[in-house]
Amino acid sequence: MAIHNPEIKYTKLFINNEFVAAESGKEFEVINPSTEDVICRVSEADKHDVDKAVAAARKAFHRTSQWRTMDASQRAILMHKLCDLIERDMNYLASLESLDNGKIFADSLGDLEYTVKTIRYYAGWCDKVQGVTIPCDGDFISMTRKEPVGVVGQIIPWNYPVMMLAWKWGPALAAGCCIVMKPSELTPLSALYLAALSKEAGFPDGVINVVPGFGPSAGAAVSEHHDIDKVAFTGSTAVGALVMQAAGKSNLKRVTFELGGKSPIVVFDDCGDLDEAVDTCHGGVMNNHGQNCCAASRCYVQESIYDEFVKRSVAMASKRVIGDPFDESSTMGPLINRVQMDKVLRYIESGKKEGAKLECGGIRKGSKGFFVVPTVFSNVTDEMTIAKEEIFGPVQSILKFSTMDEVIDRANKTTYGLASGVITKDINKALMFAQGIKSGSVWVNTYDLCQPQSPVGGYKQSGQGRELGEAGLEEYLETKTITIKIPSKF
Ligand code: NAI
Ligand code: MG
């Protein structure tokens, strides 16, 4: 059950297991995107506070610390305890997420369930991180040990606040790292609450630190820091490039990125149930209001079914109920802020100007809250801005294609490569597409099915490294090789 006005309990920085004000005393406003009201004010971290958090994390990472000397199986118990507490407070947390981000309550609950699944999945890894023994030349034995990378900076966005936290805390804690997390300035509340739960679960001082603040100050302080060993970033490609430069200019810290996308979904005329295909494509782009890095924002439909597909997609988009995320009849909430809303409306204008056919939506709803009506464009061509740039809003572009070769080449003609989808009943077509497409995830007859067990991440400018699965854990590990001479005689 949703809690309509969840009490805001934590608004300060979380450093060394304590909530503390920013050294500067500064605070920033947290806004409810559904009403544009101020929810609360949160302490604003800058470089000094990041320094304090890093010092706490570094101390917690010392080889003699409680964290480093703890059995790996005990780390797993702490992670499970954290999950028990998230489950205890799930309705509260989902309400907090809906208030702060604007996503409908049912979706927030889904995000929380997935958060728990992800952290439990990684808890299972804690005592299963193994090295190998290597048959090397001569009288030597060589073995590898997997060790935590160290103090990790984690910078997350606002579109899935608590889920992005889980994707980053899960593998970092399983590996044995210590964390300095900077949540988005637009959605800091769920991270602060989870910080409090981590203390209640019993994580030692300094293992988890949360420092809300702005990108150019707190975010940059993380990516430029000389005593952070790795930074994991999710957000725009432009900021990803800045983080990489900062890593290079400071201490060559390891970087992993999950960045933007312009993901294609391709529907062949042998898709079987057309309504199901329409539904998959609609959900692929409209879920989370289109504020999704994997959003299926280029929908390629084979020519013989194109007109009917467009008709049914418009009907589906028009059925969406846009409104208060706490209202059970709503199926879509507001965009995150005015900047994003204006940006999405500008893209819609560009689509109209460049000759795409606006089939439905295309406007803001009301004058309070950042609601944009689900929008469908047909007759979209590859050169149009709406087919090239990440919109990050509820805008579906439907393009027409005729052959497999053509559609793979067109789908690949982008600087992004995060995700893709193909809908067909022919396994050969699905396999040919899956091999030809340059993207980190390919979904066949489904879309955006991210599971804790399977890695996700981007080709090209959509990312570096992977999150989730064993591949995601590997990003938080160093490999140490220990080589021992075997005496030839006693
Ligand atoms: P952003 O990339 O600016 O924000 C993401 C995170 O990076 C936030 O925590 C922010 O504070 C931080 N950040 C910003 N500047 C930084 C810097 N110089 N150094 C270190 N950290 C910094 O994304 P924004 O402006 O909120 O959204 C712009 C566009 O980015 C969206 O319209 C969308 O296209 C894309 N985006 C993609 C996301 C994804 O999941 N791949 C998530 C959020 C945005
Ligand atoms: Mg920004």
Side-chain angles (χ1 to χ4, degrees), residues 154-160 164 182-186 213-224 231 233-240 242-243 246 258-261 290-294 336-337 339-340 343-344 347 389-393 416 418 462:
Q154 303 185 321
I155 302 173
I156 56 170
W158 42 263
N159 51 343
Y160 294 94
M164 289 298 101
K182 195 203 82 64
S184 169
E185 61 276 23
L186 302 176
F214 291 88
S217 48
V222 169
S223 51
E224 287 166 2
V231 62
F233 171 79
T234 300
S236 61
T237 295
V239 173
L242 292 177
V243 172
E258 213 247 276
L259 307 173
Q291 300 173 138
N292 178 0
C293 47
C294 292
I336 192 68
N337 64 3
V339 174
Q340 286 296 318
K343 181 177 156 190
V344 170
Y347 275 120
E389 296 181 11
E390 183 171 51
I391 300 174
F392 233 59
Y416 293 118
L418 193 58
S462 284

Side-chain angles (χ1 to χ4, degrees), residues 185-225:
E185 61 276 23
L186 302 176
T187 53
L189 300 180
S190 52
L192 291 175
Y193 195 82
L194 255 69
L197 293 187
S198 75
K199 179 176 181 172
E200 189 180 344
F203 281 90
D205 293 354
V207 172
I208 294 173
N209 303 275
V210 177
V211 285
F214 291 88
S217 48
V222 169
S223 51
E224 287 166 2
H225 210 286

Side-chain angles (χ1 to χ4, degrees), residues 7 68 98 108 138 169 190-191 201 223 243 311 314 323 386 403 475:
E7 184 198 343
R68 293 299 299 287
S98 285
S108 292
W169 282 16
S190 52
S223 51
V243 172
K311 205 173 107 195
V314 173
I386 54 169
T403 70
E475 307 284 358

